[in-house]
Amino acid sequence: SKQWYQRRVHGGKADFIASGSSWNFTCQHGPDECVGNKVQACVLNQMSPYAPDEYVPLIDCIMRSENPPTAAGACLKSLDIHTTTSEKVEACAGSDEGSQLLHDIGVETKNLDPKLSYVPWVLFNNVFDEEAWQQSLDNLTAVLCNKFLAGSSKC
């Protein structure tokens, strides 16, 4: 059976520079965006990459909240997710570990070919497909089911 594996990378158009043994970040929408990106990087690091049924709703909840940098705890609770805790996420996001995770994402983003020019930037099977990407901005499910998962029970 055909499977869909989603890997989310949060960093957008952030820039980074070394600062001692850690990193300083500049984000397109300001410092709160950088903190929110660290929170999401830590969430994704602490959860199984094969559990999109948990991390997709969690990231969605965080992104939809009024204050994404502080929303992880409330979202974990409202979604009844126990894979990680708000304390673990906050400790990671406030540490060099969170900075390193965000830096690694930034390096991956800067190495995309073609270069990221819009967010969200969607790769299919690790390849940028202009037509599929354009269509995915309107209906990702249709793109996945029509081009990649045709005949799958997921569709």
Side-chain angles (χ1 to χ4, degrees), residues 80-100:
D80 198 32
I81 293 173
H82 303 283
T83 310
T84 189
T85 66
S86 60
E87 294 80 15
K88 286 181 185 175
V89 171
E90 289 170 17
C92 170
S95 72
D96 286 350
E97 177 189 11
S99 293
Q100 188 62 50

Side-chain angles (χ1 to χ4, degrees), residues 71-151:
C75 290
L76 285 163
K77 185 175 181 179
S78 71
L79 294 167
D80 198 32
I81 293 173
H82 303 283
T83 310
T84 189
T85 66
S86 60
E87 294 80 15
K88 286 181 185 175
V89 171
E90 289 170 17
C92 170
S95 72
D96 286 350
E97 177 189 11
S99 293
Q100 188 62 50
L101 290 169
L102 189 56
H103 168 262
D104 293 348
I105 289 168
V107 169
E108 183 178 350
T109 300
K110 293 203 181 301
N111 288 331
L112 288 171
D113 182 22
K115 297 280 185 205
L116 176 140
S117 63
Y118 185 86
V119 176
W121 193 250
V122 183
L123 302 180
F124 298 94
N125 297 324
N126 289 319
V127 175
F128 182 75
D129 177 325
E130 175 81 26
E131 180 184 7
W133 171 69
Q134 288 286 347
Q135 293 170 356
S136 77
L137 297 176
D138 291 325
N139 191 338
L140 178 60
T141 301
V143 173
L144 291 172
C145 288
N146 293 333
K147 288 189 97 164
F148 301 99
L149 298 173

Side-chain angles (χ1 to χ4, degrees), residues 25-40 62-63 66-71 93 102:
F25 299 91
T26 305
C27 293
Q28 183 180 9
H29 302 290
D32 284 349
E33 180 186 15
C34 289
V35 174
N37 288 345
K38 279 188 193 180
V39 166
Q40 292 173 60
I62 291 170
M63 294 294 293
E66 285 188 29
N67 189 9
T70 63
L102 189 56

